Amino acid sequence: MPAPPAPDAITGVVERIIFLNEENHYTIAEFRPEWPDPKAKSEPVTIVGALPGVECGETLHLTGEWTQHSQHGAQFKIAGFKSELPSSVHGIRKYLGSGLVPGIGKVYANKIVDAFGPDTFRILSEESGRLRDVDGIGRKRATAIKAAWDEKRTERELYIFLQTYGVTPGQCVKLVQKYGNDAKQILLKDPYRVAREIDGIGFKTADRIAINLGFANDAPPRLEAGLLYALDTLQEEGHSAYPQPALIDYAAEMLSASTEHLTARIEALVAAKQLVRHGATAATFLIQSPKLDWAERKIAEAVGRLQTAASGLPPIKIDAAVQWAEKQAGFAFHGLQRDAVHNALAHKLSILTGGPGTGKTTCLRALVEILKAKKARVHLAAPTGRAAQRLAEATGGVASTIHRLLKFEGGGHGFTVDETHPLATDFLIVDEASMLDTRLAAALLQAVPPRAHLLLVGDTDQLPSVSAGNVLKDLIKSPQVPVTRLAFIYRQEGQSLIVRTAHAINEGDPTLPPVVTEVADVSREDDLAFVEAVDAEDCLRKVVQLCREFLPKAHPAFHPITDVQVLAPMHKGVTGVSNLNVALQAALAPFKLKGRSTDFVPRWQDRNSKAAPALKAAGATYEIGDKVIQLRNNYDKNLFNGDIGVVTGLDASAGKMTADFDGDRQEFERGDLGALALAFSVTIHKSQGSEYPVVIIPLLKAHFMMLQRNLLYTAITRGRKKVFIVGEKAAYGMAVRNSEAKQRVTHLREKIALSPGAGPA
């Protein structure tokens, strides 16, 4: 095959459509390129990608890249395209004969083209009555052909129009699926509407389209959409509300617009109830989205309801019950542990907080045993599957994820357990409550029946929730909720370096744990070590060495893939998540087929294949045995942001993958793969709610934007058996000394203070 004219451009004719997904228009087609050299023989090539509205015979101008498929060879992966109707008789015959126009098959296509030749398309558009001159086409068939042709032409013109203004083929499909033939008019009238109504088309895309369409920089639709986008961006940073003056300044810089114009648009958005405003004066105004305002109100209402309703627990003599639990445990509790159990039984809503090794597990186990002895209905839940599993193991009870507890249904139905259909429980314990964002907390608290008790358990020194809100800290700061803080270290009689180091970090002590300069010098006995690295490349080398060489030899009980997790502060850079995944994927290849008897058996191994299949998707290459992470909640699959699994099967030609998530096998179509990523390394934020047998943390001064005390504390407390920090000593000190974590703005405490029953606990 001759070399293409450029690595990202190719022109030619669609010869045959091999595969077409009607939903997203993903196409695999045989394509005959037109090479610059007229003497070059044009052999068909395979093209893959979204090609909405394209049929055989069309001339396409494609942009994209050449890729190499393990089974099918060279393929051109489409990023964008422009199309032209065929002008040659051969092309017209192939185009009409492809079946795109109902009533015209190959037989009638040949007859029509024989009759009208190169003028065929003009006849169909302008003189369709002449179709009746063709043998076998009567008035009824001619009318049907004309109607079908016009519909296809309208669809085609729409795709051409959309792409002219910077809409990608995939976005074209979404627009047409949502709006049909009205897409053009909607885009011309209000291009920012699509950012509000269609997933995958955000403000930046809509803004680019609008500017291409000639919208002014200070057009009211642009400013209003920009303000909503600015608030969404701030919500992604964790804020559930934001001061109006700061929001205007933020949006003004982002949109290059005047604060006066933006102030006027905020008034319009508040009047239209697209924004909610709290406060008495412009200087103190807080702005919220209606959804987050509603969620905070629901949390406040639930707090008030729990505090005013009588307890539904059977009569319990609390002091005697605590003494009984101590006898069951075989040791006396610390005074704070007794307080924690007492508060949970005496108050409808209470909070238990404390760092690792401070005895939270003892409190929870005692509480569950007391409630079971009283035959009370107890439910246990946590935000993630791994956290729920740990909670069940710690208490001896049955635990589930919050989404399972509330019986989430996909398809927009939401939670089926709610305020009108509450949980059938007397006592609900929720662990890892620091992960609760505003909307999930609202759903959870609404589902708690008024007479039930709720105990929230969490470590406030960890990173806050990924999504907007600061629920646990807001509840702790509210005087209405009793809080027990555990501080005394129990785990391993205080000898665990992981626990001691975590508490030292919290206290702002930058003293380093044991330091070695080479991986080979790491002590096999210590559960935490600092491996010094001179720069980013050295850090990467030592992280890989720990995974590939040291751990398999020094601690063979730990599987280098399933038991070891590398937690990085950032995505980019030499020691960022992206580069670490590429390096570890290659380095750990020998371990993908090795494991304990309970591990998966790769399908391709059973077929005696000499090479593992690979699947390219969303910028990554996957092989069987790779570790993957779910990046977005997928309620239909019961998979949630941060869930980690292992690839167990691949069908590269069909774009399908099978992965095992803690025993739950899931199959992914090509359209699902954008929500997956390699997970040999993940960000520290993604590790919230999870624990791993072994954790490795690259830590460099180059990560300075992310180096905060709560980030390092969270990373270290994810390790259950072993923690290795690899990096620069100065970076450790920078992180420990930086306790100025960005404060989140919310309106929850104010709402709780105004809720019914909001008095001192």
Side-chain angles (χ1 to χ4, degrees), residues 629-649:
I629 184 170
Q630 179 75 19
L631 300 175
R632 296 190 293 273
N633 291 347
N634 186 325
Y635 301 114
D636 294 328
K637 295 184 183 296
N638 201 34
L639 290 177
F640 304 103
N641 188 348
D643 284 352
I644 289 179
V646 177
V647 177
T648 57

Side-chain angles (χ1 to χ4, degrees), residues 463-658:
L463 291 168
S465 61
V466 175
S467 299
N470 211 11
V471 177
L472 185 63
K473 284 188 177 180
D474 282 342
L475 289 172
I476 287 173
K477 291 177 182 177
S478 298
Q480 294 85 353
V481 184
V483 179
T484 306
R485 300 176 187 270
L486 301 180
F488 190 82
I489 302 174
Y490 284 90
R491 188 183 296 177
Q492 296 181 13
E493 299 179 355
Q495 297 306 305
S496 167
L497 265 175
I498 295 175
V499 173
R500 284 158 47 197
T501 302
H503 285 275
I505 290 169
N506 255 351
E507 293 164 4
D509 180 359
T511 303
L512 285 160
V515 178
V516 297
T517 55
E518 295 298 333
V519 170
D521 297 329
V522 172
S523 167
R524 298 189 182 194
E525 286 71 36
D526 289 345
D527 63 356
L528 187 146
F530 191 105
V531 182
E532 188 174 7
V534 297
D535 55 26
E537 286 73 18
D538 188 39
C539 179
L540 175 64
R541 180 181 64 82
K542 288 175 177 175
V543 168
V544 170
Q545 188 180 354
L546 278 167
C547 294
R548 184 179 59 196
E549 300 171 16
F550 176 80
L551 284 167
K553 293 177 182 177
H555 302 283
F558 298 132
H559 193 286
I561 294 176
T562 56
D563 292 334
V564 180
Q565 189 59 60
V566 178
L567 303 179
M570 300 176 71
H571 279 281
K572 297 181 179 180
V574 174
T575 57
V577 165
S578 299
N579 196 52
L580 280 164
N581 270 317
V582 172
L584 291 168
Q585 183 185 39
L588 298 179
F591 298 97
K592 291 180 186 178
L593 307 182
K594 298 178 181 178
R596 296 176 291 273
S597 59
T598 54
D599 290 347
F600 64 87
V601 178
R603 296 177 184 174
W604 64 270
Q605 191 182 34
D606 297 335
R607 298 198 297 268
N608 298 317
S609 172
K610 293 183 179 179
L615 172 63
K616 290 187 177 181
T621 300
Y622 298 99
E623 297 175 352
I624 291 174
D626 282 346
K627 188 155 59 172
V628 292
I629 184 170
Q630 179 75 19
L631 300 175
R632 296 190 293 273
N633 291 347
N634 186 325
Y635 301 114
D636 294 328
K637 295 184 183 296
N638 201 34
L639 290 177
F640 304 103
N641 188 348
D643 284 352
I644 289 179
V646 177
V647 177
T648 57
L650 291 174
D651 186 342
S653 60
K656 292 183 179 180
M657 174 194 295
T658 304

Side-chain angles (χ1 to χ4, degrees), residues 291-370:
K291 288 182 178 179
L292 287 177
D293 174 63
W294 178 88
E296 286 187 348
R297 289 182 188 279
K298 287 298 179 181
I299 294 171
E301 289 172 11
V303 170
R305 186 167 60 248
L306 286 170
Q307 290 175 330
T308 54
S311 171
L313 289 178
I316 299 176
K317 294 180 180 179
I318 297 177
D319 290 338
V322 173
Q323 291 175 9
W324 174 84
E326 287 180 315
K327 289 181 180 178
Q328 294 295 111
F331 58 87
F333 297 163
H334 187 278
L336 288 174
Q337 291 175 311
R338 295 192 195 100
D339 291 344
V341 178
H342 188 282
N343 279 340
L345 294 172
H347 298 277
K348 298 288 300 309
L349 172 61
S350 61
I351 293 173
L352 172 60
T353 185
T358 55
K360 295 194 298 292
T361 297
T362 297
C363 297
L364 297 181
R365 189 183 299 117
L367 188 58
V368 169
E369 288 179 352
I370 291 170

Side-chain angles (χ1 to χ4, degrees), residues 17 36 61 77 82 146 177 317 433 446 448 492 665:
I17 293 177
H61 305 279
K77 186 177 179 182
K82 293 181 180 179
K146 170 63 174 172
Q177 285 177 340
K317 294 180 180 179
Q446 283 182 87
V448 180
Q492 296 181 13
R665 293 285 178 100

Side-chain angles (χ1 to χ4, degrees), residues 189-209:
K189 183 178 180 181
D190 185 4
Y192 297 100
R193 175 179 167 183
V194 303
R196 298 191 299 270
E197 298 181 354
I198 300 180
D199 289 338
I201 300 183
F203 171 79
K204 290 184 178 179
T205 300
D207 197 39
R208 185 181 68 245
I209 296 169

Side-chain angles (χ1 to χ4, degrees), residues 590-758:
F591 298 97
K592 291 180 186 178
L593 307 182
K594 298 178 181 178
R596 296 176 291 273
S597 59
T598 54
D599 290 347
F600 64 87
V601 178
R603 296 177 184 174
W604 64 270
Q605 191 182 34
D606 297 335
R607 298 198 297 268
N608 298 317
S609 172
K610 293 183 179 179
L615 172 63
K616 290 187 177 181
T621 300
Y622 298 99
E623 297 175 352
I624 291 174
D626 282 346
K627 188 155 59 172
V628 292
I629 184 170
Q630 179 75 19
L631 300 175
R632 296 190 293 273
N633 291 347
N634 186 325
Y635 301 114
D636 294 328
K637 295 184 183 296
N638 201 34
L639 290 177
F640 304 103
N641 188 348
D643 284 352
I644 289 179
V646 177
V647 177
T648 57
L650 291 174
D651 186 342
S653 60
K656 292 183 179 180
M657 174 194 295
T658 304
D660 184 297
F661 290 81
D662 291 328
D664 182 15
R665 293 285 178 100
Q666 293 288 349
E667 186 170 283
F668 299 86
E669 304 285 342
R670 190 177 294 276
D672 301 322
L673 298 178
L676 290 177
L678 290 171
F680 297 97
S681 174
V682 301
T683 62
I684 297 169
H685 284 82
K686 287 288 185 185
S687 72
Q688 287 175 265
S690 295
E691 278 189 356
Y692 314 94
V694 181
V695 161
I696 300 173
I697 308 162
L699 198 69
L700 298 168
K701 290 184 291 184
H703 302 145
F704 69 94
M705 292 185 65
M706 300 297 293
L707 292 181
Q708 294 176 344
R709 184 180 297 174
N710 62 351
L711 186 87
L712 181 57
Y713 174 82
T714 299
I716 286 176
T717 55
R718 299 309 88 203
R720 194 161 62 242
K721 299 290 186 181
K722 298 282 182 180
V723 172
F724 302 92
I725 304 170
V726 184
E728 298 166 320
K729 296 177 182 178
Y732 185 91
M734 289 169 64
V736 173
R737 283 187 282 268
N738 183 10
S739 62
E740 299 299 321
K742 186 177 290 186
Q743 297 299 310
R744 295 189 170 193
V745 182
T746 76
H747 193 248
L748 179 57
R749 275 188 286 160
E750 290 83 352
K751 290 184 175 79
I752 292 174
L754 296 173
S755 67

